[in-house]
């Protein structure tokens, strides 16, 4: 089961598969995150989402971190 924030971030990443999404872009396009717009809160949600997907951040199959930029869906 996913939280609303996890679901919305996953949907956004999948819809923009292969594109790097900045934390600002994610915050602006995920309704729940508009109220929690710190970069850290997005990182926490992505971390929980990875855990639920069984995705290892060191060798991601689904969500890749792009240093200094944001995240992209690669799965």
């Amino acid at each position: 089961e996913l939280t609303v924030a996890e679901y919305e971030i996953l949907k956004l990443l999948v819809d923009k598969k292969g594109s790097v999404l900045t934390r600002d872009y994610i915050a602006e396009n995920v309704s729940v995150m508009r109220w929690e717009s710190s970069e850290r809160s997005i990182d926490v949600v992505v971390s929980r989402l990875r855990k639920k997907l069984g995705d290892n951040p060191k060798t991601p199959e689904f969500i890749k971190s792009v240093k200094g930029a944001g995240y992209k869906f690669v799965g």
Side-chain angles (χ1 to χ4, degrees):
E1 292 182 28
L2 301 178
T3 65
V4 173
E6 291 165 349
Y7 173 79
E8 288 189 11
I9 288 176
L10 180 59
K11 182 175 181 340
L12 187 63
L13 288 166
V14 169
D15 288 347
K16 303 284 186 176
K17 182 178 179 180
S19 299
V20 177
L21 305 184
T22 66
R23 289 171 182 85
D24 287 340
Y25 181 86
I26 293 169
E28 291 170 8
N29 289 280
V30 173
S31 62
V32 176
M33 300 312 298
R34 287 187 205 130
W35 305 109
E36 303 175 32
S37 59
S38 79
E39 289 184 4
R40 184 68 187 132
S41 59
I42 292 170
D43 294 341
V44 169
V45 174
V46 169
S47 175
R48 289 192 318 234
L49 184 55
R50 281 181 169 147
K51 187 174 185 175
K52 289 181 179 182
L53 294 172
D55 202 16
N56 182 343
K58 295 181 188 212
T59 55
E61 293 180 46
F62 302 110
I63 301 171
K64 182 178 180 183
S65 296
V66 179
K67 190 173 182 173
Y71 299 99
K72 73 177 180 176
F73 188 81
V74 294

